[in-house]
Amino acid sequence: MSASDSWLIVVAGYALLLAWPVSTVVLVWFALRYSGTHRAKTVNRSVAGGDGRPQHFWIIVPALNEEAVVANTVGAALKLRGPAGTLSRVLVVDDGSDDRTPEVLAAIDHPRLHVMRRDLPEARQGKGEALNAAFRHISRLTAEAGVAADRVVVGIIDGDGQGSENILVEVSRLMRDERVGAAQVQVRIRNRNKLLGAVQDLEFGAIVDACQNLRDALDTVGLGGNGQFSRLSTLQTLGSAPWSSCLVEDLELGLRMHLGGVAIRYTSRASVTQQAVVDVRRLTRQRTRWAQGNMQCARYLGRLAASPRVARIALAEMLHYLLSPWANAIVTVVLIGTGIAGLGGLLVGHPISFLPTWVALAESGGVWLAVTTFPGVLWALVHKRKHGDERTARMLTAALAYPAFLILGLAATYRALGRQASGRQGWAKTERLAEEPLAVTA
């Protein structure tokens, strides 16, 4: 290998390595400049005037063996109130639970609670099918009541989710604009007293929040599995089964809406909390499912590129989101391979040209360590400024653990590649942690 080739490899390597902290600085600037906060001023993009405010809210809670958390989730959902004159109801879809979930639900006596029990063989065909069954039920009730579908909003709160008190008011504010067909609220982690929980709250409360605010500015907001709200009329344009069997049915739903020209908004003013996965094995399994779902949605790339409804800059952002699992997998192989080659060359006495000495190898390792640690520290400071509900020491500890968290995510990406290549699609649901009971009020 010539000297010029060696320098090209060095320059390319450092470009790949520095792309992450540089992009992080840009995103942090955007997060601090344009995103909304709960504690201070809110500067989310203004909402256009209009008369699209919803009059009815349905909160769907998909439940499969949720005995540990479903009472609290339902209790919190029943406490949610929209603006004056709106009606909110909760529909729990018991998707064939074989634990005490049916008994827990039967013990909750509330006029605005509806429970739909799905038994085999219809049940347990995935979260998407459970949501579709609830959607068809709500559509039928809406038609029978003579209510306009564009005045009805369907929200999804997972079995472990709890929405902030203002969540329906904020969604109503966003949907005052008739062009808005769906909205996504911020996601936070409740059980962040453990390190893994704190790292996941750093991810959702700072990084994902900043990304979603950027997407809001670009009109490319993605829907999440928890805290998504859609007009019933928008869902009806997608047929009798808006949610698919994709492993990330929420992401696919958002892509289909964008292709249909539907405006999706994001807000940091309201939030939904969920449980962190605090077991490394289960967390890896969860992230593998997410990565595989992203890979499945890559089939939409051609349609997104050809769609006149998707702006070029928005398309670039969507491409980045859908292709990042593949890119991360490739870049990781290149960086690890380079490090192994450099170490091996020094051990056998034939060093490679761009890592000729142990000092050079150590310096490269130091640069790698600094580059991978820097973004997490920045996000910890953003989290502190935006939320202020965690000690600085805890979030800085989470920041130092963030690179290991990313390595776990990369391992999940490789597992997802293997599963996708072998055609494996089945998944066990994420286990829940028991919580102190909340009171349910009428």
Side-chain angles (χ1 to χ4, degrees):
M1 181 183 295
S2 67
S4 60
D5 291 337
S6 299
W7 277 109
L8 284 175
I9 292 175
V10 172
V11 171
Y14 275 105
L16 287 172
L17 197 60
L18 294 175
W20 179 29
V22 170
S23 63
T24 297
V25 169
V26 174
L27 191 55
V28 164
W29 173 83
F30 185 90
L32 296 178
R33 177 64 179 84
Y34 292 105
S35 67
T37 72
H38 292 291
R39 295 189 305 117
K41 63 180 182 179
T42 302
V43 287
N44 284 63
R45 188 156 50 95
S46 61
V47 178
D51 190 27
R53 287 185 184 273
Q55 298 171 345
H56 299 261
F57 283 94
W58 281 92
I59 306 297
I60 301 176
V61 179
L64 172 59
N65 293 340
E66 302 280 14
E67 64 173 303
V69 294
V70 72
N72 280 355
T73 298
V74 170
L78 289 170
K79 291 179 180 178
L80 299 178
R81 297 288 188 273
T86 61
L87 173 65
S88 62
R89 287 164 285 186
V90 178
L91 173 59
V92 181
V93 186
D94 181 359
D95 200 30
S97 298
D98 55 17
D99 64 352
R100 293 189 61 258
T101 296
E103 288 85 349
V104 173
L105 292 172
I108 304 175
D109 182 16
H110 199 286
R112 292 187 289 108
L113 173 63
H114 301 246
V115 178
M116 173 189 293
R117 169 75 182 186
R118 282 164 53 86
D119 294 308
L120 296 173
E122 289 82 9
R124 300 196 177 194
Q125 296 181 8
K127 179 181 175 182
E129 284 305 310
L131 295 177
N132 287 331
F135 157 74
R136 291 188 288 268
H137 180 71
I138 293 170
S139 292
R140 185 177 70 254
L141 293 180
T142 299
E144 291 173 354
V147 177
D150 62 346
R151 296 294 185 171
V152 179
V153 168
V154 177
I156 312 299
I157 293 182
D158 282 346
D160 63 336
Q162 296 178 20
S164 59
E165 291 183 359
N166 68 329
I167 193 169
L168 301 187
V169 174
E170 176 62 10
V171 170
S172 182
R173 182 187 74 87
L174 294 177
M175 291 192 173
R176 184 175 65 195
D177 185 346
E178 299 97 328
R179 297 169 299 177
V180 176
Q184 175 65 45
V185 304
Q186 184 182 46
V187 176
R188 295 289 308 277
I189 296 297
R190 276 198 308 280
N191 56 325
R192 50 184 186 266
N193 55 315
K194 294 185 178 180
L195 180 59
L196 266 181
V199 175
Q200 288 168 71
D201 193 56
L202 177 68
E203 176 188 35
F204 283 109
I207 305 171
V208 173
D209 179 63
C211 290
Q212 285 282 52
N213 274 297
L214 175 61
R215 291 169 189 151
D216 190 60
L218 298 175
D219 291 321
T220 62
V221 171
L223 293 177
N226 203 4
Q228 60 171 281
F229 292 81
S230 305
R231 290 190 197 274
L232 182 60
S233 56
T234 300
L235 294 173
Q236 289 175 342
T237 64
L238 301 176
S240 62
W243 288 275
S244 72
S245 59
C246 176
L247 293 175
V248 282
E249 74 291 325
D250 47 287
L251 172 60
E252 184 168 16
L253 176 64
L255 292 175
R256 292 174 65 195
M257 286 185 178
H258 283 299
L259 287 169
V262 175
I264 305 176
R265 294 293 308 278
Y266 174 77
T267 179
S268 301
R269 288 182 171 185
S271 63
V272 60
T273 64
Q274 64 187 36
Q275 287 188 348
V277 182
V278 294
D279 177 85
V280 172
R281 179 179 59 83
R282 293 171 182 170
L283 181 61
T284 304
R285 185 175 67 193
Q286 179 199 66
R287 298 310 167 105
T288 301
R289 175 171 61 85
W290 291 0
Q292 188 176 358
N294 274 20
M295 294 172 186
Q296 291 173 342
C297 288
R299 65 179 180 268
Y300 285 91
L301 291 176
R303 292 169 60 186
L304 289 168
S307 174
R309 292 170 171 165
V310 180
R312 296 302 97 183
I313 188 169
L315 175 62
E317 200 280 332
M318 287 183 178
L319 289 174
H320 171 265
Y321 185 71
L322 291 173
L323 294 177
S324 59
W326 306 86
N328 290 340
I330 294 171
V331 170
T332 302
V333 168
V334 172
L335 292 177
I336 292 177
T338 301
I340 292 175
L343 178 61
L346 291 170
L347 289 174
V348 300
H350 297 287
I352 56 179
S353 56
F354 50 88
L355 289 174
T357 66
W358 288 102
V359 172
L361 182 63
E363 289 175 346
S364 296
V367 170
W368 178 86
L369 183 62
V371 165
T372 55
T373 303
F374 174 72
V377 173
L378 270 186
W379 287 122
L381 298 177
V382 171
H383 188 286
K384 180 68 175 179
R385 177 170 175 177
K386 284 178 62 65
H387 304 296
D389 53 7
E390 281 295 342
R391 292 182 292 109
T392 302
R394 178 182 293 278
M395 296 316 301
L396 287 177
T397 302
L400 294 176
Y402 187 59
F405 183 76
L406 293 177
I407 292 173
L408 182 148
L410 290 170
T413 298
Y414 283 109
R415 286 188 64 200
L417 283 168
R419 290 182 59 87
Q420 188 69 6
S422 61
R424 289 178 289 170
Q425 306 292 326
W427 286 94
K429 72 178 297 296
T430 302
E431 294 84 352
R432 308 298 191 195
L433 303 173
E435 298 179 329
E436 291 295 321
L438 300 176
V440 179
T441 58

